[in-house]
Amino acid sequence: MASPLFTSGKDLLCARGRGQSVPPSGEKLQEVGGSCLEAKQLETRLREHQELLQEPKVARRDQVSKGKWLLESRMVNLVCHTGKFWHYMGAETDIGRCLYPEEALYLIDTGELEVEYNGIVLSMQQAEELLLEDSHHLERYLVYAHLSRTGCKLLYHQPHLVFTKYEKEIRLDQHQSNTGRKKLKLDKKKIVNPTDSCTSQIKVEDNSLKEFYESLGDAAKNPLLEEREDSDIHCDKKNISGDPPNFQQKKKEQLSDYELQWKKLLDMIPNMYGQNVINVDVESPDLLPKGCKPIKQSYQISQLGLWYYSIYEEGRPESDAPRKQRGPECDWGQRWGQGNNRFQSRTRGSSWPDPPDSWRDDRFGNSVSGDRWKDTSSGGHDRWGNCDGDIGGRRWGHDGNRWEDGGGSNDRWKNDGGDWGNHWKSRGENHREADHGDWRSQHFQGRDRKRKNDYWQHDWREPDYEQSTNHGGEYHNQQQNRRDRTDIVDYDVRPAWKRKRCVKRRQQGRDCYPSSLLWVGNEIRSWKEYKNHAKEVTCTKMLKEKMRNTLWKGTTTPLLKPIIASSAEAVLETCSLGSQVKDWAEYKAKVPQESRLQVHYDVYLPTVPYKKTKPSLPSKRVVVMRDGMMPSPGQLLELTTRFHDDVPVVGGLVAGGEVRLYTLSTLSLPPPCTL
Amino acid sequence: MLNEEAKVTPEATTADRAISFASQTFKMAHKSQVETVEDSVDIQDNESKILIPYTHSRAQVWDPQVTDILWKQHRITGQLVGALPRLPHQSALLGLPLSLMSEEVKLLQDEGIGVPVTYMEMKEDVKEEIRVEFQRCVKRCQEEQVNEAKNHRKREIELMADKILDGKRKKFEERKRKKEEGAGDIQGGKIISVEIKDKKEQESVSSGKHNQSEEIKEIENISSEKITPRDNWCQETVESQEEEYKEMKDCTNCQEEEGETCNLDREKIIEEEVAKIKDLQENMQVVEIFTQNPLISWLKPKSHPLPTQLKYTMERTRYAVFRDLWHRGYHMTQGLKFGGDFLAYSGDPHLYHACFIIRCVEDPDRVSMRDLVAAVRTAAATKKTFVLAAIDRNSVSEDNNCMVKYRSYQWAYDD
């Protein structure tokens, strides 16, 4: 075994006192002369350079920071630190101060940091292997080190410093800068991977932004947050969680039996397969309400979960939902499940004793027939209508034939369980109002969203429901059977937590919209948009009234609405007939989605002051190209126009270890001189 | 040599008229060996070869000695990408590792000079034996530092022994003089207290009753009162006072023993000074931050398989050109900074400028004239010659031997 490459203590002490200057590099020669003098010159230069390379990298023990490499979180936890690098490096986490891999590597390279892993101090060679993930990460580090050596301060790209025009108008930028940075969650059980490619642009720095959106309530949604919620489900397996702090607090609360059972069921939904799981295919986009975009083409839904939803759906805390439903990109499969809950609550009399297995048969095959089926379905439709008031008439009539098949349709529900939800969902108000007006007026008169809780009690607890159904006796028997059962959870009793939350919710005014407010399926970013939308809906309603509603009957409906027919120009603009390409350069520089660049670092030049707690706009944004590919002007231009500030974007390129930087700067030509 | 070069006249109105080129095809029969790579290289059989470690698919040399060999013996220049140990916060002169181009690595392998390897163990958990060895080496290094610091101090004392001796003699004479000048009953021990504490002088002189042992006690009391663990400076001060006091006490004892004569010995002084040397404090020790893994020899390298066949035509062209020019005796480096693929140096890049900007193309006839003018102009401004290099398609044989043809362009100035 060869001896380790440790420098002796004597040489280390000698190196401590060595000079800090580099021998001047002499001028280079243009041509090879072949003289002895040249040979000596060359030999001297090579020897000097070699001596410089062979010098050990040393530092006094009390002047070296120390850290530990956290493999799971891929960060270096600082055990003790000296020097000023903390002013522009690292991040505060719940386990202390941590450095990102590039920062740690650079500090190791400059002899300012010792990183320990598995009981040994990492060398630069080993640290590159461990800390960096792939060849592109190595290229990013080389660009980072190159710019850092010149005195620039580099930070991971800070998306929370990028604001749209509207966000600036509402002074979100000031809010962001005043909020400061939040601590990263690096706890072993909940690890956020900052270098994960899927979330690299959504950094944890945007916690304050998330908090801001939460403070706005359900009316506003944070697009970044939604993306993260989607990814959370996938990240759970890796012990990676992006749960907001509030959610984590809720987890710590004492859960009741109902909640435990409920959570258990919810957890089963995505993983449960077999006869209790049904597949629901999403309708084609033209049949979905306007502005709705399904996330998946099909959904697997647990019947047991749905059955349980039917009982406690209304008081379901949002944080425990598998996916939050906000805005146009809501999970339609789940929304469908919610809509069905009303239906299930009406028909529980027949289906209650054996909910999961006989649910389908009892509801659709045996007990549900004719009016009964239609009656019970109206609840779900009503809710559906409230959820989305813009359901088109064309879609409503789509499955009318199938619906009205009577017994035949029932068989169809049974056989094609995966599809029935959509057929049911696609039913419309016309059908409901025409056929079940009486029933509805008797039992659901005056019901609206703000009376949701009262309504729950009304149709669940009060005996008048029993009188209104044809299965009163059966209901009593089943109630008795149900009480005899030795289930842990007594579904008769409305859980205390639910009542409490309802009260709280009513007090807070959350989720209890005044009836005058309009339900909007889209994201509304300003009052102006909301007003326009309200106006449009009002106009549509007007057109549907009286004689004018004939316009909306049949398959052909008016193309233009009054709201968009204010002027000829507006009509042409809506039809995209008169639109002009305003920015020709931008049009030419359109770049395919796959080749769009991603910003990696924000650069602050040495002359620009930087404050970690209140960062200003960066001097440059750096994109590191992959595999030595040159950035095209279109790519750089597309990236520059993605931001609404004047920060130039620089493309970094590593070829053979050499770092080259390219940028595209706009040039305004001076006006021609007139003599 | 590339002696026939096209002349470009800046006055020409069109690109066709402005650029004329003369091409010369060099047909040197050599094997390009584009597809030659052993799938697995037995490292044991290649002990004489240079091991080229791969880190994340990039070849990087971490050993300064290997770097020296590559530079001096094999004309492989590479690119330093690390920080220089002496001056890390600058980018003019860089340090290890030495990053190598893929063409350089392939050439080293094809020529039988080096073997690309990876150290998979560096990504895995550290073995216990390696950890123990590392700790042992660190401890040994610390002990060496302590010993070296002692030896260094000893050497300093030996060098300074005469001065120390003179100083002690002077002190003794001073004391003796003061003793003679002062009252006969004032003892030398009081002089010592004068140097340590001014207030004590007056008290001792006025009373004249304190003896040496009492004063020692007083100083000890003062020391114990003043020292607080939080005040390091105070600690040091008191320690220095104590040391001085002990020194004086020794002298006094010496004086008492030997009467009024000063009988200080050089060797004795050195012994006394050496005995006072303390161990190098831990926070004052020096730690080494390793660039290369210090226990690299304990790890087993695995051969890093290079692609058996270069996929793209451009890759093949680049390698063929690189290899051909290297065989001609040129030093080759990355040429991106001048808009080319390579820079060819007629001598070592440490001393000489590049003479050619090489751009590899698949078909030299399809190069845009505008690009050519721009490239030639850039080369002319940097006192270089722009060269287009391509594989001669007519010369590619079945065993993948190929020849490279070059076209050089030079900007012509009107005299």
Side-chain angles (χ1 to χ4, degrees):
Chain A
M1 194 71 70
S3 61
L5 302 169
F6 277 78
T7 310
S8 69
K10 183 181 177 182
D11 292 340
L12 286 179
L13 285 178
C14 291
R16 189 178 63 171
R18 71 189 170 201
Q20 295 296 311
S21 61
V22 177
S25 58
E27 288 187 359
K28 286 187 176 183
L29 305 177
Q30 199 66 39
E31 291 180 356
V32 179
S35 63
C36 293
L37 183 64
E38 284 182 19
K40 279 188 177 179
Q41 270 186 320
L42 177 62
E43 192 183 339
T44 309
R45 287 196 185 183
L46 284 172
R47 193 184 63 247
E48 284 177 349
H49 201 174
Q50 193 60 34
E51 284 171 358
L52 286 175
L53 295 182
Q54 283 180 343
E55 283 181 351
K57 211 174 277 180
V58 296
R60 231 173 70 177
R61 189 176 289 277
D62 57 349
Q63 291 176 351
V64 179
S65 303
K66 289 177 183 175
K68 282 186 177 177
W69 170 240
L70 308 174
L71 187 62
E72 289 180 341
S73 55
R74 303 202 66 79
M75 290 188 94
V76 172
N77 183 24
L78 279 177
V79 179
C80 72
H81 87 274
T82 58
K84 294 180 180 177
F85 64 82
W86 184 251
H87 294 308
Y88 52 91
M89 283 183 180
E92 287 280 2
T93 68
D94 54 346
I95 59 168
R97 294 178 168 183
C98 287
L99 292 170
Y100 294 112
E102 290 96 326
E103 295 167 345
L105 266 178
Y106 179 70
L107 291 174
I108 294 172
D109 201 17
T110 54
E112 296 172 70
L113 178 70
E114 268 188 345
V115 178
E116 194 180 312
Y117 180 65
N118 273 346
I120 65 166
V121 176
L122 295 179
S123 62
M124 187 67 191
Q125 185 181 8
Q126 203 172 356
E128 268 197 12
E129 283 276 9
L130 270 173
L131 272 61
L132 301 180
E133 290 173 305
D134 51 14
S135 59
H136 186 241
H137 202 180
L138 177 59
E139 288 175 348
R140 294 207 301 269
Y141 165 67
L142 290 176
V143 172
Y144 180 93
H146 174 81
L147 288 169
S148 295
R149 280 191 205 106
T150 58
C152 297
K153 299 175 185 70
L154 271 82
L155 284 91
Y156 271 37
H157 176 53
Q158 309 157 92
H160 68 290
L161 291 183
V162 179
F163 300 101
T164 62
K165 192 180 172 187
Y166 172 68
E167 284 170 337
K168 282 181 182 174
E169 278 179 15
I170 62 171
R171 297 182 180 179
L172 185 62
D173 50 344
Q174 292 179 15
H175 170 83
Q176 281 292 96
S177 57
N178 291 330
T179 306
R181 291 190 166 197
K182 297 291 172 64
K183 287 184 178 180
L184 296 183
K185 298 288 178 188
L186 288 183
D187 194 68
K188 283 185 179 178
K189 292 178 182 176
K190 304 176 182 64
I191 290 166
V192 175
N193 187 356
T195 57
D196 196 310
S197 59
C198 68
T199 55
S200 61
Q201 290 286 2
I202 310 166
K203 291 286 173 245
V204 193
E205 284 91 340
D206 62 359
N207 275 343
S208 49
L209 189 65
K210 189 174 65 184
E211 192 178 288
F212 173 76
Y213 275 106
E214 282 175 355
S215 68
L216 293 179
D218 294 338
K221 68 162 190 174
N222 182 356
L224 300 180
L225 186 65
E226 267 206 341
E227 286 177 30
R228 186 176 297 176
E229 282 164 4
D230 286 343
S231 62
D232 280 350
I233 293 169
H234 304 291
C235 294
D236 276 342
K237 291 177 184 174
K238 302 175 189 174
N239 272 345
I240 295 173
S241 166
D243 292 338
N246 295 341
F247 185 39
Q248 288 170 13
Q249 286 173 3
K250 282 180 185 175
K251 278 183 178 174
K252 292 174 186 174
E253 289 176 7
Q254 188 76 23
L255 298 179
S256 67
D257 292 339
Y258 294 98
E259 284 178 307
L260 288 172
Q261 177 73 5
W262 182 23
K263 283 175 69 64
K264 188 180 166 188
L265 284 169
L266 290 181
D267 291 338
M268 287 170 70
I269 286 179
N271 301 321
M272 200 165 66
Y273 295 98
Q275 60 177 356
N276 291 330
V277 175
I278 54 175
N279 289 315
V280 179
D281 294 322
V282 175
E283 290 281 8
S284 58
D286 53 342
L287 297 180
L288 291 176
K290 183 185 174 186
C292 293
K293 199 167 77 177
I295 296 171
K296 296 180 187 173
Q297 289 304 313
S298 65
Y299 293 88
Q300 288 184 329
I301 296 173
S302 160
Q303 293 183 29
L304 186 63
L306 283 180
W307 165 73
Y308 201 86
Y309 270 177
S310 70
I311 306 167
Y312 297 121
E313 174 267 330
E314 283 186 0
R316 187 168 61 93
E318 288 179 5
S319 56
D320 281 348
R323 293 193 180 188
K324 292 186 180 178
Q325 299 163 23
R326 294 179 185 177
E329 292 186 0
C330 60
D331 186 331
W332 275 105
Q334 194 173 336
R335 175 170 284 200
W336 161 81
Q338 288 185 352
N340 269 333
N341 297 333
R342 296 298 179 95
F343 157 70
Q344 293 167 21
S345 64
R346 305 292 171 277
T347 58
R348 70 192 182 282
S350 59
S351 62
W352 181 254
D354 193 10
D357 296 325
S358 62
W359 182 58
R360 195 187 305 171
D361 295 335
D362 286 344
R363 295 190 180 186
F364 303 114
N366 303 328
S367 65
V368 179
S369 59
D371 292 340
R372 167 71 177 149
W373 162 249
K374 290 171 185 173
D375 285 353
T376 51
S377 69
S378 65
H381 276 298
D382 185 62
R383 180 175 174 78
W384 184 259
N386 284 335
C387 288
D388 193 285
D390 200 24
I391 297 174
R394 183 180 49 170
R395 189 171 62 79
W396 295 343
H398 177 71
D399 289 311
N401 295 333
R402 196 183 297 184
W403 179 263
E404 290 166 3
D405 277 349
S409 67
N410 290 337
D411 292 335
R412 190 180 186 107
W413 300 128
K414 223 187 311 184
N415 298 331
D416 189 14
D419 208 24
W420 70 270
N422 293 309
H423 297 311
W424 175 83
K425 178 180 68 180
S426 61
R427 300 282 303 160
E429 283 185 19
N430 295 344
H431 185 81
R432 180 191 68 207
E433 288 175 359
D435 296 342
H436 317 295
D438 297 337
W439 185 88
R440 184 168 174 253
S441 62
Q442 185 181 352
H443 298 286
F444 299 97
Q445 197 169 11
R447 177 167 61 87
D448 57 19
R449 295 181 64 83
K450 67 182 177 183
R451 290 190 57 215
K452 215 187 278 184
N453 302 313
D454 298 335
Y455 158 66
W456 194 95
Q457 283 186 338
H458 173 75
D459 66 347
W460 179 249
R461 304 287 298 171
E462 297 297 324
D464 65 339
Y465 176 81
E466 179 190 344
Q467 293 166 8
S468 69
T469 61
N470 298 326
H471 305 278
E474 188 184 345
Y475 174 75
H476 271 300
N477 295 335
Q478 286 163 359
Q479 283 280 75
Q480 188 60 40
N481 292 337
R482 180 153 44 104
R483 283 165 191 156
D484 293 338
R485 289 175 64 179
T486 55
D487 285 348
I488 299 171
V489 179
D490 184 4
Y491 298 111
D492 271 353
V493 184
R494 193 180 183 194
W497 59 268
K498 186 172 187 300
R499 286 199 295 273
K500 282 179 190 171
R501 288 182 191 207
C502 290
V503 171
K504 193 188 288 181
R505 199 174 275 191
R506 198 181 300 136
Q507 286 170 354
Q508 289 175 349
R510 288 270 186 102
D511 204 17
C512 297
Y513 301 102
S515 58
S516 58
L517 275 183
L518 191 70
W519 178 269
V520 181
N522 300 342
E523 178 193 2
I524 295 295
R525 286 172 295 185
S526 65
W527 276 109
K528 193 178 175 185
E529 279 187 34
Y530 177 79
K531 284 176 185 171
N532 285 339
H533 192 84
K535 204 173 171 185
E536 189 177 349
V537 172
T538 312
C539 290
T540 313
K541 278 185 180 174
M542 282 172 61
L543 282 174
K544 288 177 186 173
E545 287 172 4
K546 297 180 183 177
M547 293 297 289
R548 281 166 292 197
N549 63 356
T550 52
L551 285 170
W552 303 92
K553 287 181 178 175
T555 53
T556 307
T557 57
L559 180 65
L560 297 176
K561 297 174 185 175
I563 186 69
I564 57 174
S566 57
S567 66
E569 190 182 349
V571 172
L572 289 175
E573 193 177 346
T574 308
C575 301
S576 300
L577 294 176
S579 61
Q580 294 178 348
V581 179
K582 292 174 184 173
D583 191 350
W584 182 248
E586 189 180 356
Y587 178 76
K588 278 180 73 176
K590 275 188 176 175
V591 178
Q593 189 70 33
E594 62 273 10
S595 58
R596 289 191 177 181
L597 303 176
Q598 197 178 30
V599 177
H600 293 108
Y601 301 113
D602 288 346
V603 181
Y604 294 85
L605 295 177
T607 52
V608 176
Y610 170 73
K611 201 173 180 183
K612 202 174 185 180
T613 52
K614 197 175 180 181
S616 56
L617 272 180
S619 312
K620 314 267 182 198
R621 293 194 176 99
V622 175
V623 180
V624 182
M625 304 300 295
R626 285 183 180 273
D627 303 323
M629 294 285 288
M630 293 281 281
S632 70
Q635 281 178 316
L636 284 177
L637 187 61
E638 186 271 330
L639 193 62
T640 310
T641 52
R642 209 185 292 170
F643 301 99
H644 302 279
D645 43 31
D646 296 328
V647 178
V649 176
V650 177
L653 180 62
V654 180
E658 201 176 305
V659 177
R660 296 283 143 197
L661 301 169
Y662 300 92
T663 188
L664 195 71
S665 56
T666 53
L667 177 70
S668 55
L669 291 171
C673 295
T674 53
L675 298 174
Chain B
M1 289 295 291
L2 309 175
N3 47 8
E4 290 190 20
E5 294 162 348
K7 296 195 172 183
V8 182
T9 55
E11 291 78 18
T13 52
T14 64
D16 289 335
R17 283 177 59 194
I19 296 179
S20 64
F21 58 87
S23 64
Q24 184 176 5
T25 306
F26 297 90
K27 298 188 176 181
M28 291 187 65
H30 68 275
K31 293 181 180 180
S32 68
Q33 294 182 357
V34 171
E35 298 177 6
T36 57
V37 156
E38 306 99 301
D39 286 338
S40 61
V41 179
D42 188 0
I43 303 300
Q44 300 300 326
D45 297 340
N46 295 284
E47 284 182 354
S48 59
K49 293 182 181 177
I50 296 169
L51 300 183
I52 305 164
Y54 261 74
T55 310
H56 297 296
S57 310
R58 307 277 170 186
Q60 290 183 321
V61 176
W62 299 85
D63 191 348
Q65 291 173 352
V66 173
T67 308
D68 195 40
I69 292 169
L70 289 176
W71 283 351
K72 287 180 180 171
Q73 296 179 16
H74 304 298
R75 284 181 282 114
I76 296 294
T77 309
Q79 174 72 33
L80 291 168
V81 294
L84 196 69
R86 177 176 291 206
L87 216 55
H89 295 283
Q90 50 85 35
S91 57
L93 194 58
L94 296 174
L96 292 171
L98 182 79
S99 182
L100 298 180
M101 290 187 290
S102 56
E103 288 83 9
E104 288 173 321
V105 181
K106 188 159 177 58
L107 180 85
L108 287 172
Q109 182 183 263
D110 291 348
E111 296 296 324
I113 301 167
V115 188
V117 294
T118 52
Y119 293 93
M120 299 303 291
E121 290 170 281
M122 278 201 282
K123 290 181 181 176
E124 299 164 0
D125 286 347
V126 182
K127 289 179 184 173
E128 186 60 30
E129 54 181 5
I130 292 179
R131 189 185 295 119
V132 169
E133 176 66 15
F134 185 87
Q135 303 291 354
R136 192 184 65 78
C137 289
V138 169
K139 198 173 178 182
R140 190 191 65 197
C141 187
Q142 288 175 355
E143 289 170 359
E144 283 177 357
Q145 283 189 52
V146 171
N147 293 334
E148 174 59 22
K150 273 186 181 175
N151 293 335
H152 183 73
R153 178 68 186 147
K154 198 175 175 181
R155 285 196 296 272
E156 278 184 346
I157 289 170
E158 284 174 357
L159 285 173
M160 303 291 289
D162 293 335
K163 284 187 179 177
I164 296 169
L165 192 62
D166 288 345
K168 285 188 181 292
R169 277 177 182 159
K170 276 184 184 175
K171 279 184 183 176
F172 174 75
E173 285 169 5
E174 183 78 10
R175 249 191 337 260
K176 192 177 176 184
R177 187 175 56 80
K178 283 186 179 177
K179 188 182 175 185
E180 287 171 357
E181 286 175 357
D185 57 341
I186 298 175
Q187 295 179 6
K190 290 172 186 172
I191 298 170
I192 296 165
S193 66
V194 169
E195 290 178 4
I196 295 170
K197 202 78 181 175
D198 291 341
K199 288 181 182 177
K200 295 291 170 188
E201 182 190 11
Q202 294 174 359
E203 290 174 10
S204 60
V205 171
S206 60
S207 65
K209 294 176 182 176
H210 290 289
N211 56 23
Q212 189 179 344
S213 59
E214 285 173 345
E215 287 197 357
I216 291 171
K217 282 180 184 176
E218 279 181 12
I219 290 168
E220 283 173 354
N221 291 334
I222 291 165
S223 306
S224 60
E225 284 171 7
K226 287 193 175 181
I227 293 173
T228 56
R230 282 175 293 180
D231 194 347
N232 291 330
W233 179 84
C234 180
Q235 173 85 34
E236 287 174 8
T237 311
V238 173
E239 280 179 1
S240 64
Q241 284 178 352
E242 284 178 347
E243 282 175 11
E244 196 175 350
Y245 172 71
K246 282 178 186 174
E247 184 183 329
M248 289 301 195
K249 189 181 169 188
D250 293 341
C251 289
T252 312
N253 292 336
C254 178
Q255 181 191 354
E256 283 173 354
E257 288 170 4
E258 299 173 11
E260 296 297 320
T261 58
C262 176
N263 194 15
L264 293 172
D265 187 12
R266 185 176 183 274
E267 295 301 322
K268 200 175 179 182
I269 291 289
I270 290 174
E271 276 181 21
E272 286 172 0
E273 292 297 322
V274 169
K276 283 189 269 182
I277 296 174
K278 291 180 180 176
D279 285 351
L280 187 66
Q281 291 176 5
E282 195 174 343
N283 63 333
M284 298 294 285
Q285 288 176 5
V286 177
V287 291
E288 182 178 11
I289 295 161
F290 301 99
T291 303
Q292 187 184 13
N293 189 348
L295 295 167
I296 193 81
S297 56
W298 287 54
L299 306 179
K300 289 180 182 174
K302 285 181 74 177
S303 70
H304 181 82
L306 290 179
T308 53
Q309 184 176 5
L310 295 174
K311 263 186 187 177
Y312 305 104
T313 316
M314 204 57 221
E315 280 184 344
R316 287 197 290 271
T317 309
R318 276 176 62 97
Y319 178 62
V321 171
F322 182 88
R323 183 186 171 85
D324 182 57
L325 287 171
W326 185 82
H327 274 289
R328 288 166 188 266
Y330 289 100
H331 295 249
M332 306 289 289
T333 64
Q334 175 64 240
L336 188 65
K337 67 177 87 170
F338 291 110
D341 288 295
F342 302 112
L343 292 180
Y345 295 76
S346 50
D348 193 295
H350 281 89
L351 187 62
Y352 301 99
H353 285 293
C355 50
F356 298 114
I357 299 170
I358 313 290
R359 185 179 291 179
C360 303
V361 290
E362 291 180 23
D363 187 356
D365 296 328
R366 290 189 179 180
V367 177
S368 161
M369 285 298 170
R370 293 173 189 275
D371 293 344
L372 209 53
V373 169
V376 172
R377 186 68 190 261
T378 306
T382 53
K383 296 181 181 177
K384 292 172 180 47
T385 304
F386 181 76
V387 177
L388 281 181
I391 294 176
D392 188 358
R393 295 182 184 280
N394 299 325
S395 69
V396 179
S397 59
E398 290 180 355
D399 54 347
N400 281 317
N401 290 343
C402 61
M403 283 164 282
V404 183
K405 62 179 179 181
Y406 301 93
R407 288 178 184 176
S408 63
Y409 301 86
Q410 200 171 41
W411 197 265
Y413 297 94
D414 284 344
D415 295 330

